[in-house]
Amino acid sequence: MTIATLSHVKETLGDLHAKKKFGQNFLIDANIVDKIARKAVEEELTVIEIGPGLGALSEMLLKYGKRLHAYEIDEDMYEILKAEFSDEERFSVELGDFLDVELEKVFYHDEPIYICSNLPYYVTTPILFKLFESRLDIRKITVMVQKEVASRFSAPVGSEDYNALSLIVQYLYDVKLEMNVSRKVFYPSPNVDSAVISFTPKVKRDYEYEQGLFSLIKNCFMKRRKTLQNNLKDHYDRETIEKIYAELGLKDTVRAQELKLEDYKRIYEVLNEK
């Protein structure tokens, strides 16, 4: 079978239709889907797919991975997937919101896995945060996002796109633009083009340190239009904030987006000095 064709998608959907609330747009170009799967899976390992929809990407991921465990929030798609892959023992799908899944209870910490997903825009950030902060042995994360969103992950200091996610990504991963994907290879066709990006770990994880550092970074960007000082006031006392500003030589008017990753690491050190 080849799921990623317009005829198959229309036939499978029947009276159903793409649901905007789930950001559904179905891939209808098998060559594109195969390229994404090959970039996502470099070894024969377990793959986690988020939001498989009709299973176009699932079909190709199974060609290269050891097994595939998918999470689907739409009950209609869930039933289609169970029927489509009923004879595939290496495929399993769970109905529910991926954001509610306790990954560490499903997968072993020392089991190497890949993540691959065509992410709806409205949940891109929370899903990525969940993956970045998990303690699983994720060898590579490959996701398709709106093209304009892809640039945010490598956004430079001071730019409009520079935010907490940018900092966390740049700390943890090497980010690569794998390919651009035209809106024409989807049904229904979205209003924007997409891009496939990958995240490959570049540091040995220190989860206790990361938890504190990432919490600090997110707190500093909580109210983007406010100064760094105003964001810090919600979490630290005046004496602590004055110490941070003195140690780093910061101006009172500085904002979170003006600081580099090294600045945040230094602030975290100051907060933990005894």
Side-chain angles (χ1 to χ4, degrees):
M1 64 178 175
T2 301
I3 296 173
T5 64
L6 182 59
S7 58
H8 185 93
V9 168
K10 286 185 174 182
E11 180 182 349
T12 304
L13 285 175
D15 294 332
L16 299 174
H17 56 84
K19 298 182 179 71
K20 287 186 178 181
K21 67 177 180 178
F22 294 138
Q24 291 176 346
N25 299 95
F26 305 109
L27 284 159
I28 54 172
D29 186 319
N31 289 327
I32 293 293
V33 179
D34 185 68
K35 286 181 182 179
I36 295 170
R38 281 191 283 110
K39 291 178 181 296
V41 183
E42 299 173 351
E43 298 178 69
E44 196 173 332
L45 301 176
T46 295
V47 184
I48 297 175
E49 184 183 5
I50 306 156
L54 295 174
L57 185 55
S58 310
E59 179 183 29
M60 298 300 181
L61 291 171
L62 283 166
K63 287 176 57 178
Y64 306 107
K66 179 180 179 181
R67 64 188 178 98
L68 176 64
H69 190 81
Y71 292 91
E72 177 55 56
I73 196 172
D74 183 353
E75 189 169 357
D76 290 327
M77 297 299 110
Y78 171 73
E79 295 298 335
I80 289 172
L81 289 163
K82 286 201 302 179
E84 191 80 68
F85 295 94
S86 59
D87 296 329
E88 179 53 80
E89 295 181 356
R90 297 179 299 127
F91 177 85
S92 60
V93 59
E94 182 175 325
L95 176 64
D97 189 340
F98 178 76
L99 293 173
D100 295 332
V101 177
E102 295 184 57
L103 292 172
E104 284 77 5
K105 291 185 178 180
V106 181
F107 300 92
Y108 296 111
H109 291 189
D110 58 352
E111 177 185 5
I113 58 176
Y114 291 117
I115 305 287
C116 190
S117 177
N118 178 9
L119 289 177
Y121 174 67
Y122 76 101
V123 288
T124 296
T125 297
I127 285 178
L128 286 176
F129 268 130
K130 182 181 181 72
L131 294 173
F132 296 161
E133 294 173 353
S134 79
R135 301 197 176 197
L136 301 183
D137 183 8
I138 300 175
R139 297 298 172 88
K140 187 177 183 181
I141 300 170
T142 306
V143 293
M144 179 154 31
V145 298
Q146 287 189 11
K147 190 174 180 180
E148 64 179 25
V149 175
S151 61
R152 297 178 186 174
F153 299 108
S154 55
V157 177
S159 67
E160 186 177 344
D161 291 332
Y162 186 71
N163 56 22
L165 186 59
S166 309
L167 281 158
I168 291 172
V169 165
Q170 290 168 30
Y171 173 81
L172 290 174
Y173 299 100
D174 286 319
V175 184
K176 181 182 179 182
L177 173 64
E178 297 285 359
M179 57 189 292
N180 291 314
V181 181
S182 169
R183 68 192 76 183
K184 296 178 181 179
V185 301
F186 293 93
Y187 174 81
S189 178
N191 295 323
V192 296
D193 293 325
S194 298
V196 176
I197 52 175
S198 65
F199 304 88
T200 304
K202 67 179 182 182
V203 296
K204 184 177 181 180
R205 302 297 294 264
D206 181 342
Y207 295 103
E208 184 176 351
Y209 175 80
E210 289 172 16
Q211 186 176 16
L213 177 64
F214 296 170
S215 178
L216 165 67
I217 291 171
K218 285 189 268 187
N219 288 341
C220 289
F221 278 88
M222 196 65 67
K223 301 170 185 174
R224 188 175 176 86
R225 295 185 179 181
K226 299 290 185 179
T227 63
L228 176 68
Q229 193 169 183
N230 279 327
N231 278 312
L232 290 173
K233 283 179 181 178
D234 292 336
H235 306 280
Y236 307 103
D237 58 43
R238 181 178 177 181
E239 183 179 347
T240 300
I241 295 172
E242 288 178 349
K243 182 179 180 182
I244 289 170
Y245 272 66
E247 289 282 347
L248 276 77
L250 300 176
K251 297 180 180 179
D252 290 344
T253 56
V254 72
R255 298 180 185 276
Q257 57 266 37
E258 296 176 63
L259 300 185
K260 300 177 182 178
L261 175 60
E262 294 304 317
D263 295 322
Y264 285 101
K265 291 166 73 173
R266 179 62 187 131
I267 291 174
Y268 187 62
E269 290 173 6
V270 173
L271 290 172
N272 288 277
E273 287 176 353
K274 296 180 180 179

